[in-house]
């Protein structure tokens, strides 16, 4: 066809494939989606990664699921015998089975599993799926929180009353110093990578804590090459240097943290007014007033330099004299053991670098920080998150311009439907009994607890699973147990764009439209004040393939068939969107007429904790209204009130019995070309990374007769898998870094798939177990696990056919 007669449309939107959500323009030629390009007018639109550019391949992929499917054979490890059925039949079947399970065993025995929004477009529909869960009556959501978000969003709530860095985001635009801890935005969130380059260009400093010499590590002013899983010791050591040299914001500590509050030596509680006066209030916390030489009740904000941060004070309580010390004294003591020399020993980081980083954090503040995967998947993830939070407090940068800031958000109605779930149902969240401080407190269930509830019926039997994406058997530890658990379900429905080894165990599979084939509403893009004020109704770029439908539509359809339509605007998605938007004053028509997005005029304010509310400073949403360096709540549950270092549970210190057989430490990292277990079937991406790789130091390789490119087997006490050796002299010789998520073949290239369940395959999470997990959160040590590496034969090709 001559060029002039072709129709070319350019449709503004954004790429929804990962957490970056880059502003983008889709090019559609004669009705075909042919390219995705950056949209520089969008606050996240400066660049696109290879995955985003491969979006047309994803949409047009021959292996996309196009029709609802029903299993016709038993789950005995053989073929599923998928049979095509219609949507009506599929939805009736699903609703009927879910209803009958709920009637027989209670709605809590149906669990929802959702792909993490960081690795997928589930961000489009998450809130509607939550609403469906709440209306249905189940408190149980499996979203990888224990691996992906505990530290960022939840553990730090014990310190700040909100998630830092998850809720209060790094203000990279104005930061004096950027701290990336176990985070590599160059692979994981492009928009943070470009903002960091700009920040460095205008003079911001960069500190990176990572066992690997990543691109940000190379560009950093200081790279702290930490041994996997020892991060808490490093954070405590940095805090020690800052405190002992006076490099900390004493005013912030006095006025806004519980640093000056007194802790009773006898029972570890914070001293309150009731302790010293029978008619005193237990909500009034006491500090030592040095001027007056006595106790004083302090509220958030009224610190002043008169309060003691050090010393021991004998306090006459209603039950006798008790020695008390200010929290900050205990903080100081808790860090003191972590001298630079000790940190060097534990973490493998040069002493001088520890001091240099501490000085930089102080002298180049405000500090903006982000910590992620490297420190989430650890047996002491909670302590690491709290130790980094404690360090961050010392900089006094919280909610200051250039620090971590809660950017102003467009007002909307919350539609998650939490009011639809009764307290009684909420109390049934799996894992709440074993780990009451953990993710279950916020409705987040670990995969370990899910498997236990299915297989052992503890604390009750789970019989149904509703999967909106997620590939548990590739993404989570204990793949073999996971497989047994999913096969034992009474009913499992999985909604996805592609079949995957997890979905293979479903009873019904529903085809999902890609984000380019569906509309979605996004309010706020998170990463900056400008981005957070951005609202966009992402338009459909092309019609859905086959019979695929968006997750939001599926959630609304299911709600209707479950008799819950009244909570879902009787199936009218647009009415639901209008409800969300009502407080913002925005209309769907105005958003449709500006498909590139709308900037809502908002002003981000700082130090919001100091703003007056009814005549008092707002403070923090914690028990004391202050930042809680010391968590009385943790103490009440027998957990450390102050962050502590604990050896990695699957490391050499904790498991001397395994050192000889497994002398190396295994960690993993995201692949720049693929999201988690996805995208291996896209030729333009797979061409650049044909096979799974494991990075190891040339010395470690030589000692094992391994050369670059050799196939090796990676072995842990749980079993072994294969990968190709990549040598990297910048690694610690004891550390190896592997890749997870390999199973899918790429037929167009003849690139093989890999058996997810055997040693010939490459599913890294089949060799990660749960014998040691974080006692508070259940986080699994995907990032610090003892292992051995051997040379091995090439894996049998086609161990699993291309499509899978
Ligand atoms: N291209 C791509 N982008 C993605 C994803 C993807 O799979 N591919 N996944 C998305 C998801 S779900 C997430 S959670 C984010 C995650 O984004 P990131 O957290 O940046 O993910 P990683 O690159 O895996 O991990 C960050 C760094 O942690 C380091 N690390 C490993 N072990 C340790 C340790 O013990 N201590 C410390 N301090 N660091 C350690 C690794 O070397 C790595 O460089 O990315 C999202 N974006
Ligand atoms: N060893 C090791 N294991 C890890 C990690 C690690 O670093 N190392 N990282 C962990 C982390 S941080 C995370 S978040 C988890 C991720 O684990 P998962 O949430 O399971 O993520 P993915 O493997 O990307 O699988 C996503 C699935 O959702 C589907 N999908 C994508 N978009 C959509 C959509 O819009 N709708 C629907 N219905 N489906 C969709 C995809 O096709 C795919 O099947 O893995 C964890 N596992
Ligand atoms: S980083 Fe890549 S995959 Fe993620 S949103 Fe941007 S373009 Fe899409
Ligand atoms: Mo994640």
């Amino acid at each position: 066809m001559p060029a002039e007669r072709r129709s070319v449309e350019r449709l503004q939107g954004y790429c929804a494939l990962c957490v970056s959500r880059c502003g983008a323009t889709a090019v559609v030629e004669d009705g075909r989606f042919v390219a995705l390009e950056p949209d520089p007018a969008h606050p996240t639109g400066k660049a696109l990664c290879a995955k985003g550019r491969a979006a047309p391949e994803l949409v047009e992929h021959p292996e996309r699921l196009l029709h609802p499917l029903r299993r016709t054979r038993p789950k005995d490890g053989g073929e599923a015998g998928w049979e095509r059925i219609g949507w009506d039949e599929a939805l009736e079947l699903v609703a009927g089975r879910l209803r009958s399970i709920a009637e027989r065993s209670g709605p809590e025995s149906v669990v929802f599993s959702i792909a993490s929004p960081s690795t997928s477009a589930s961000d489009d529909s998450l809130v509607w799926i939550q609403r469906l869960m709440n209306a249905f009556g189940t408190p149980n959501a499996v979203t990888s929180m224990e691996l992906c978000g505990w530290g960022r969003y939840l553990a730090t709530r014990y310190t700040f009353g909100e998630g830092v860095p998850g809720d209060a985001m790094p203000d990279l635009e104005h930061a004096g110093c950027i701290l990336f801890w176990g985070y590599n935005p160059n692979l994981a969130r492009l928009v943070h990578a470009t903002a960091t380059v700009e920040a460095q260009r205008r003079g911001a400093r960069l500190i990176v804590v990572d066992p690997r010499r990543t691109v940000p590590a190379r560009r950093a002013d200081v790279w702290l090459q930490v041994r996997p899983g020892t991060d808490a010791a490093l954070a405590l050591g940095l805090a020690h240097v800052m405190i002992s040299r006076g490099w900390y914001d004493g005013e912030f500590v006095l006025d806004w943290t519980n640093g000056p509050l007194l802790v009773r030596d006898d029972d570890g509680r914070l001293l309150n007014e009731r302790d010293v006066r029978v008619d005193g209030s237990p909500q009034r916390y006491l500090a030592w007033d040095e001027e007056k030489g006595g106790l004083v009740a302090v509220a958030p904000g009224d610190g002043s330099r008169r309060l003691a941060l050090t010393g021991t004070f004998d306090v006459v309580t209603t039950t006798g004299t008790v020695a008390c010390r200010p929290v900050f004294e205990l903080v100081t003591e808790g860090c003191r053991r972590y001298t630079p020399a000790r940190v060097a020993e534990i973490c493998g980081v040069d002493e001088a670098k520890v001091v240099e980083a501490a000085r930089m954090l102080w002298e180049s503040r405000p500090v903006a920080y982000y910590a992620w995967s490297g420190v989430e998947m650890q047996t002491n993830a909670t302590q690491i998150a709290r130790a980094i939070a404690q360090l961050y407090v010392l900089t006094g940068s919280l909610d200051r311009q250039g620090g971590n800031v809660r950017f102003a958000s467009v007002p909307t109605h919350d539609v998650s439907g939490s009011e639809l779930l009764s307290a009684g149902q909420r109390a049934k969240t799996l894992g709440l009994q074993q780990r009451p401080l953990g993710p279950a407190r916020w409705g987040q269930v670990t995969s370990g607890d899910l498997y236990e509830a299915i297989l052992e019926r503890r604390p009750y039997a789970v019989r149904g699973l509703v999967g909106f994406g997620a590939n548990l058997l590739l993404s989570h530890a204990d793949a073999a147990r996971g497989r047994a658990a999913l096969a034992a379900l009474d009913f499992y429905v999985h909604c996805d764009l592609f079949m995957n080894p997890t979905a293979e165990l479903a009873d019904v599979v529903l085809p999902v439209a890609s984000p380019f084939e569906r509309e979605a509403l996004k309010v706020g893009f998170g990463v900056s004040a400008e981005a957070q004020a951005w609202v966009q109704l992402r338009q459909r770029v092309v019609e859905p393939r086959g019979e695929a439908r968006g997750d939001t539509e599926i959630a609304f359809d299911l709600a209707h068939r479950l008799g819950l339509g009244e909570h879902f605007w009787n199936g009218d998605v647009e009415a639901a969107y209008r409800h969300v938007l009502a407080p913002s004053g925005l209309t769907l028509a105005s958003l449709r007429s500006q498909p590139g997005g709308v900037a809502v005029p908002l002003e981000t304010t700082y130090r919001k904790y100091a703003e007056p509310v009814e005549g008092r400073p707002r403070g923090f949403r914690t028990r004391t209204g202050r930042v809680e360096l010391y968590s009385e709540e943790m103490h009440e549950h027998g957990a450390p009130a102050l962050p502590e270092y604990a050896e990695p549970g699957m490391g050499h210190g904790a498991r001397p019995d395994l050192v000889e057989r497994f002398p190396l430490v295994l960690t993993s990292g995201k692949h720049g070309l693929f999201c988690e277990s996805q995208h291996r079937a896209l030729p333009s991406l797979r061409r650049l990374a044909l096979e799974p790789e494991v990075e190891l130091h040339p010395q470690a390789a030589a000692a094992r007769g391994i050369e670059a490119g050799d196939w090796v087997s990676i072995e842990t006490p749980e079993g072994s898998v294969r990968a190709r050796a990549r040598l990297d002299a910048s690694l610690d010789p004891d550390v190896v870094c592997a890749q997870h998520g390999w199973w899918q073949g790429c037929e167009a290239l003849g690139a093989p798939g890999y058996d997810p369940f055997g040693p010939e395959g490459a599913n890294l999470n089949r060799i990660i177990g749960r014998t040691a997990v974080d006692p508070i959160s259940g986080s699994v040590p995907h990032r610090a696990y003892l292992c051995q590496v051997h040379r091995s034969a090439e894996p049998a090709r086609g161990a699993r056919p291309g499509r899978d």
Side-chain angles (χ1 to χ4, degrees), residues 18-20 49 51 116-119 147-148 152 181-185 187-189 209-212 214 226-231 371-375 377-378 667-677 737 740 783-784:
C18 88
V19 64
S20 195
C49 80
K51 303 182 294 304
S116 160
S118 302
T119 171
L147 307 179
C148 180
R152 283 181 305 146
W181 202 307
Y183 178 43
N184 177 4
L187 298 186
R189 177 152 49 192
V209 186
D210 199 303
R212 294 158 63 225
T214 58
V226 67
R227 269 191 203 120
T230 64
D231 300 81
W372 206 349
S373 292
V375 285
M377 288 170 249
Q378 303 286 0
T667 184
S668 50
K670 307 299 181 206
H671 203 295
L673 294 167
F674 315 116
C675 275
E676 307 295 320
S677 73
C737 180
H740 66 291
R783 296 292 172 109

Side-chain angles (χ1 to χ4, degrees), residues 95 173 608 650 717 776:
E173 236 177 292
K608 293 179 271 295
M650 283 307 273
I776 294 175

Side-chain angles (χ1 to χ4, degrees), residues 637-662:
H637 283 86
L642 291 172
E644 283 180 359
Y645 169 65
E647 302 233 20
M650 283 307 273
H652 296 129
R655 297 301 305 269
D657 55 316
L658 296 173
V659 176
E660 209 172 309
R661 274 184 63 207
F662 303 103

Side-chain angles (χ1 to χ4, degrees), residues 15-22 36 47-53 188-191 675:
C15 175
L17 296 179
C18 88
V19 64
S20 195
R21 316 243 188 261
C22 302
L36 194 66
L48 295 183
C49 80
K51 303 182 294 304
R53 292 188 187 274
R189 177 152 49 192
L190 200 54
V191 59
C675 275

Side-chain angles (χ1 to χ4, degrees), residues 159-161 249-261 298-305 307 309 327-328 393-394 396-400 606-613 615-622 624-630:
T159 304
F160 299 112
D249 188 335
E251 207 170 309
F252 183 77
V253 169
L254 271 170
D255 292 351
W256 299 107
T257 78
N258 68 3
L261 304 190
V298 287
D302 56 18
S304 90
R305 260 121 292 175
L307 303 181
L309 285 178
V327 163
F328 198 67
V393 167
L394 298 176
S397 301
L398 183 65
D399 211 29
R400 297 212 180 232
Y606 304 97
R607 297 185 74 238
K608 293 179 271 295
Y609 51 82
E611 282 168 7
V613 178
R616 301 278 327 153
R618 182 196 306 274
F620 295 86
R621 278 183 294 175
T622 58
T624 59
R626 290 169 165 254
V627 168
E628 302 205 328
L629 293 168
Y630 189 92

Side-chain angles (χ1 to χ4, degrees), residues 182-492:
Y183 178 43
N184 177 4
N186 286 59
L187 298 186
R189 177 152 49 192
L190 200 54
V191 59
H192 266 175
T194 48
T196 303
V197 169
E198 274 172 35
Q200 284 193 286
R201 206 171 283 148
R202 65 163 174 76
R205 300 310 188 109
L206 175 64
I207 302 174
V208 169
V209 186
D210 199 303
R212 294 158 63 225
R213 197 161 170 268
T214 58
V215 170
R218 258 178 260 159
R219 295 206 183 126
D221 296 281
V222 181
W223 168 39
L224 301 173
Q225 187 175 20
V226 67
R227 269 191 203 120
T230 64
D231 300 81
L234 177 58
L236 293 171
L238 288 164
H240 167 68
V241 173
M242 292 178 75
I243 294 172
S244 61
R245 304 206 181 195
W247 296 341
Y248 66 93
D249 188 335
E251 207 170 309
F252 183 77
V253 169
L254 271 170
D255 292 351
W256 299 107
T257 78
N258 68 3
L261 304 190
L262 292 172
V263 180
R264 297 171 58 126
D265 265 3
D266 61 344
D267 64 6
R269 281 193 303 106
L270 292 174
L271 186 73
N272 65 54
E273 208 181 42
R274 172 76 58 84
D275 289 327
V276 297
R277 244 180 44 209
V278 280
D279 62 343
S281 159
Q283 270 96 46
R284 285 168 72 92
Y285 296 93
L286 303 178
W288 190 264
D289 185 331
E290 298 203 283
E291 219 166 86
K292 155 176 141 187
L295 296 172
V296 58
V298 287
D302 56 18
S304 90
R305 260 121 292 175
R306 294 170 301 132
L307 303 181
L309 285 178
T310 56
T312 303
F313 305 94
D314 286 327
V315 173
V316 181
T317 72
T318 53
T319 56
T321 301
V322 176
C324 296
R325 286 179 292 166
V327 163
F328 198 67
E329 163 110 354
L330 303 179
V331 168
T332 308
E333 195 179 289
C335 299
R336 193 174 290 136
R337 280 184 293 149
Y338 296 93
T339 59
R342 181 113 192 279
V343 169
E345 207 176 291
I346 299 172
C347 311
V349 177
D350 204 46
E351 284 182 47
K353 285 209 171 171
V354 176
V355 178
E356 190 188 349
R359 180 191 286 278
M360 196 171 284
L361 287 172
W362 180 240
E363 291 181 351
S364 306
R365 64 194 192 283
V367 179
Y369 91 99
Y370 209 84
W372 206 349
S373 292
V375 285
E376 295 281 4
M377 288 170 249
Q378 303 286 0
T379 55
N380 56 344
T382 308
Q383 301 305 329
I384 298 174
R386 298 246 309 140
I388 299 173
Q390 173 179 279
L391 172 68
Y392 189 63
V393 167
L394 298 176
T395 69
S397 301
L398 183 65
D399 211 29
R400 297 212 180 232
Q401 189 173 44
N404 279 52
V405 179
R406 225 184 221 277
F407 299 118
S409 295
V410 179
T412 54
H413 277 138
D414 173 15
V415 287
S416 62
S418 50
E419 73 286 356
L420 300 173
L421 189 72
S422 71
Q425 283 306 102
R426 203 177 296 280
K428 294 179 187 165
T429 309
L430 295 169
L432 197 58
Q433 283 163 20
Q434 302 96 301
R435 292 182 301 278
L437 298 173
R441 186 168 177 176
W442 291 278
Q444 301 288 333
V445 172
T446 69
S447 54
D449 288 334
L450 170 67
Y451 301 163
E452 174 155 313
I454 300 170
L455 292 171
E456 321 281 343
R457 307 176 168 229
R458 260 199 315 261
Y460 51 82
V462 161
R463 302 183 192 281
L465 185 67
V466 182
F468 279 93
N471 192 359
L472 292 174
L473 302 185
L474 271 291
S475 307
H476 288 250
D478 246 349
R481 183 169 162 88
R483 186 189 199 189
L486 298 188
L489 285 164
D490 285 0
F491 184 72
Y492 172 21

Side-chain angles (χ1 to χ4, degrees), residues 85-98:
I85 54 174
W87 268 104
D88 271 338
E89 187 185 352
L91 289 169
E92 269 315 304
L93 176 64
V94 172
R97 296 298 300 273
L98 297 183

